[in-house]
Amino acid sequence: MSLQTRVMVDGRWTTRTLDIHQILARNREAKEAMLEEEVSDPIQRPVLGLLTRTVVRSPVVRSIIPARVRHRSKNDVVFVYDDAIVIKEILGGERIGEDPFRDISLGEVIEKRDFDSPILVAKIWGLPREPKVPQFPGRLWGRRSDTYRSQSPVETKPEPFHDNEIPPQILVLSLVSRTLMFLFAYHDVHGRVHFLSNTWRLPAQAEQIEELGRHLAVDPRSRAIAVGAHQNRVTIYTLKGMDQIKSEVQKPEGLDAKEFKPILEERHTEVDGAILKVEFLHPSKGDEHRVILLLVVALGTKTRLVRFEWDCRSGLSELERKPNQALPDSERIPLLLIPLTYGTSFALVCEHHITVYRDILTGNARGETGQLEHYEPPEEPSGSTTPPIWTQWARPMRSTERAQPAMDNIYLCREDGVVRYIDIGENSTPMMASYHEAGILKANLSGAFAILDLGNESNDLLVAAGAIGDGGMWYFRPRKALDLVGTFRNWTPLRDITAARVKSPNSNLVGMNGQLFERTERLFACSGRGPRHSVLTEVRTGTEAVKSGRAVDLGELAEQGILNMWALPDQSNTGIYLMISHAADTDMILLPSLDDLEPQATNKIEEFDLNVRTIAAGSTAEGYLIQVTPSSINAIAQHHGILPLSWKPKEASITLASIMTVRSRTTVLLSVLQKSDGFYLHQGHFGTQNGRIAFDELDQPILLPSEASSASLHWIGDLLVAFVCTLKGTLQVYTAEPGSCFSLYFEFSFTDSDAICDSIAMLITDFQLLNDEVEEGCMLVCGFRNGVVETLWFDGGTKGKHKEHGSVFGGQRLSLCERLEIGMTDVKVITDATRSSRAFLVCEQSLYTLEYLRGASRTNLGVVNKVWLTDPNSPPFQQGSLTCFTQASTSIPQGYSKFAAGSLFYLAGSNLVLADISSSPMAEMVPRRLPLMSTPTTILYSERLNSLVVLYTTVAIDTTGHIAARRERPQRRTLHPAVAIIKPETELLRPKQDEKDMLNVLDATEVLLGEKFLGLMEWFPTDGSKQYHLIVVHTEVEQSRSQEATCRLLFFKPIVNDVGEISLKPKIRLEHKAEIRAIASYGDSSLIYGCGDDIVLRTLDMNSKKKFKPIVKLTLRSPAIHISVDGLSIHVSTELHGHHIIAVEFNRLVPRWADRVSRTEAHHLVVPHMSLVMVVDLECRVSGLWQPTKAQLDRTAPLLFEAVLPRSITRLCRITRPFWQNKHSELIQSEAIIGTCEDGTIYQLSLLNEVSWRLLAFIQNMAMREPRICPHGKRRAHQQRIESLSVKDGNSHIDGDILIRFLERDGKRLLSDMLGEPDGEMFKYLIQGVFGGKVPDGDFVEAVLGWMRILLLPAI
């Protein structure tokens, strides 16, 4: 439709024809422009981006696969996660008698997390394992074993190892991105492990519901694989043989990745119906060339067996589909399909029975059914009304001597942990020859299950990891109880989280920045489900130190006050001497073994001077024990015939000492002597003369300029280097060749001249240079009395890994790398005896590690992790305040001590604990778990009570009645809601079965039949002069179908008695007919909550008997699931219609702003200083909504940014960063935002300004195009521009995991390579925006990398 109109053009009226749609469009544009001009906000709309990074990864394991994907001599286990795989190696030792291998463990070898797509299914393809007789009987891996079984790491004659060799087995992965991946690991010539992969794009999906790749099956002889969709489609691929792949890929110069192409041909086929199971069957004897693919397909109310066959010599051109076979109604939905190893038989596992089918090639397969005696009530009630089902199966490996002809051994697992052992024989009558109970695993078996072959004659190692609760490893012995030998932690599902600001023991101390540290922040979460797996999880990340054995109470030895202690080897009894120094004397005790940590007296006491304090102690390579006191140097031999030493300085006292054994096995002692005329540096070494230990002094002592606060001796290159710190704030460096005297090399002044350094540790690490060379460098870690740690780079004069004599002292000598504020009191630093690149930091009764990762650049930030002491036998274990600690020496000859070299002796209060510390340089999740009676749903922390308040519901099952009746209705459940008030330091929560539930602080009469607790909040109404403290719980009462549900608000007053016990006294009850799912406090004495689709405001009249005023409400389009209040604004997240912002005006609820998009919201968090609301929904989106200060006509909140994550965030929480990150306050805020997911993943969310976002987006876009950073991502090489010019482009999300990968994989080279390209100019332009309008001086690429590392620092 069009019309004519008169318009003026160049001063003359003319007639123009206009389309009606053009007129309407122009009117809309004019109206929007007018509105934007008239009611524009005086505050300019900010331009923001969102930076996300994963700080805690999900612990859920999808599958566990024993396979040799690294080398034929490596006994590996592959853990498959949602978006990663981790290769672990079975480690263990010697078996003694009939005891199981208690030292079995899985050591992590390498992980791969750069798939950039979730993993659907993982299988193994390659050579089958075959048993063989071992060459070294008696050892764990040397007993009866398979062809590719490695000998134990402790074997004296290991199997020959060759680098750049294709392993016998290869991983096949199906990814959500419709990609099929073949993957294996290999060792290069330097012994480092790498991955090599090949990807194959799957066909496009006709429908979204198909999800091609959901099913994956591998032929038992590895001739073909089948990839199935949810319904209708199957794709079959034939594969090359392993010999052909090795000949194509393995070259003399290494592996040729371009020639790794396993697929020969493919063929697509269609089937009608939903595909339930896909498996290949084993061929019959004499018919080895036949390939048989079996599908279980459901269509309508019938389920059929669909079979494909072909001859592998002819290829897929001879693929033939055989007639379908219908299954009986009792097997319409089989739980498991198990191919049997003999003939072409297979088994279908259903809920109550198992059917074994055979002779499928002759026509319809004949089935034989055996009952599984399925319904045995679980040990503990579950959250489901249906009985548990069979979920997993595994086939153990059997040697030829043990294997029976035509007999299959199968482990069958139920989701509640029940394990059955089944023997199925081809010639047996019945075919299910035996059916045994293997045991009950204290784990959920809905996830992964496997059998690890230990090479034993009759025993298996069961390993399981479920989606709920911990997994583990169990040693199975026939007719004996399962023995737990290892645990895999799991904190899922993670429902709710709270930040608990617990009172700090250092509440009166003030940091260097003036901040008063009154409380320390700890994170607690609701985890697990059911009575067995429900826990409160304290979220902690850092370095784990695992207790070995029991703690020992030192009693009076600890009460005297301990200054220091040392662990010295006892070579005669293979134990450990512990020398403990007090202020006035010294004690020495003997710890005989790991199993017996009870201190014993020792006759070595007579040889040492224990009436004075000890300054230093150590041991020599010959086994001599050394003690340094203020008045003497004492040494004793641990074998007969060598007389002890007692050397005393002349007219001097010893104030400091350092002992070191150099490469020539000579032990050198550096000491500081105090004489009447000053302080002197003294040097000597230990030896043997005329059957006596001798101490030889070297030349005359060196006069120091002032009193020394610390002295440290180190071996660098071919020189002895002494670092002496003085009270004047200087560091003096002395050098000496072996056997010669020290001479002053140079003096260095610390940043703060008033700071006093009390200890120095030296780290040695490798730094990656731009020209591919690796430079070995030294880092000095200096601990000061004011809680500061400074790291100094000891610069060498040459590049490269090998240095000439003395070259380490060329160049710049010492330069400041990093300055950290660890605490507010003295910091003691000690080099880790097992890792030269890591140091221990002791400050404020806590232990930390500081490490500079190998292969990084010099400007890398040090990785600071807190050390968490854990007890494998007590998950709620709460470590005490650190009194003192020491580390067992690594110089102990192997076999001389039962204590592992590098073990920590940790003294907490008066309890001495031996612990093994993790070797991982990166922070790991170290959860502390407090067991509960049943599933926790909501948690909050009350500062007033200094306690956690938790809602949970216990489940009881009525098991009375005849067994037949229980089968018909197996679980009649009774729900009992409860409120628990828990102190954060509590160690034991779960009561015994015969005890009353002491966690529940409510009287049972306060709870109605069928009532469930949905949520709670803490409320502090006030009348202006007095503030009241109430706990508000909102509940739902389940009624019969003919009655409406009733919801209640219960108000309780916390009561604390004389002994500190807390109870809840009921005060008020309010009833509603609609469900209440969210509640918050408003103003001085009001509550705002969602009741059905209504938002209700209730105000407590503080002047008239504390009654509520009339209801004020506002109706929304869907129920509120989360409500928060920011000042006078009420923020409401709704179930279906996004976010709403409501105000209270004249006793009315008035909508102010609303989300432009309808979202299925889960949670929100308000950022007040930016007028920003961060919203998360169930569609995996994180959105930033801006709240303008001035109203607009459409009343919609503008969208500032949006990110789509791999999983949905269900809770947002604001936490305080560790105080050692305060020095970066100009780039990162002291508070950070974290988001938690139900699968246990925790994200860190950071807001970016426009200039920071543009630079990071530029680097991210470049990284995504680089195969070394994103090897499996989509390539966009056709794009001409890398940079993103505006957040409106839809690229407002910055994936911090990609940036971390970028930094770890030589990001500096990638940035440097760009500088010669056209994009290099844009890169420099973007740098100027971040660094104040100019390019940083010097190495500006390194400056950008350092800036990125600060932004990516983890907050937990």
Side-chain angles (χ1 to χ4, degrees), residues 47 56 170 235 261 355 370 383 465 471 775 787 814 860 895 946 970 1131 1287 1323:
V47 178
V56 175
I170 294 174
T235 301
K261 300 175 181 179
T355 302
E775 179 179 18
L814 286 177
N860 265 17
N946 193 29
H1131 294 265
V1287 180
F1323 177 59

Side-chain angles (χ1 to χ4, degrees), residues 5 52 917 990:
T5 183
T52 66
I917 191 167
R990 182 177 292 164

Side-chain angles (χ1 to χ4, degrees), residues 101 260 303 385 592 632 656 798 1182-1183 1202 1245 1269 1347:
F101 299 104
F260 180 48
T303 300
T385 58
S632 64
L656 299 169
T798 63
V1182 181
S1183 306
E1202 187 167 83
L1245 313 175
I1269 310 300
W1347 170 76

Side-chain angles (χ1 to χ4, degrees), residues 25 75 106 357 511 571 575 591 634 680 686 742 887 1124 1265 1326:
N75 192 14
L106 296 179
Y357 287 90
Q571 295 186 4
L591 304 177
N634 307 303
Y680 290 81
F686 294 91
F742 279 111
Q887 193 175 19
S1124 66
R1265 294 167 48 167
L1326 296 174

Side-chain angles (χ1 to χ4, degrees), residues 1171-1215:
S1171 298
L1172 175 71
V1173 184
M1174 193 173 292
V1175 176
V1176 294
D1177 58 40
L1178 299 182
E1179 297 176 357
C1180 305
R1181 292 180 296 186
V1182 181
S1183 306
L1185 304 178
W1186 184 52
Q1187 180 183 352
T1189 58
K1190 192 173 182 180
Q1192 296 184 4
L1193 294 181
D1194 59 357
R1195 295 187 180 275
T1196 58
L1199 180 68
L1200 297 184
F1201 58 80
E1202 187 167 83
V1204 180
L1205 301 178
R1207 50 188 61 83
S1208 176
I1209 292 177
T1210 56
R1211 290 292 185 271
L1212 292 171
C1213 181
R1214 186 180 288 107
I1215 63 170

Side-chain angles (χ1 to χ4, degrees), residues 318-340:
E318 301 296 328
L319 180 68
E320 182 180 0
R321 179 172 177 172
K322 299 297 182 179
N324 299 342
Q325 177 179 342
L327 292 175
D329 291 343
S330 61
E331 298 170 7
R332 193 170 65 179
I333 306 180
L335 301 175
L336 299 171
L337 169 59
I338 305 176
L340 302 180

Side-chain angles (χ1 to χ4, degrees), residues 152-173:
S152 172
V154 297
E155 287 294 349
T156 56
K157 296 180 181 180
E159 188 175 341
F161 181 85
H162 303 283
D163 55 70
N164 291 321
E165 181 178 321
I166 292 182
Q169 294 167 338
I170 294 174
L171 270 174
V172 184
L173 305 176

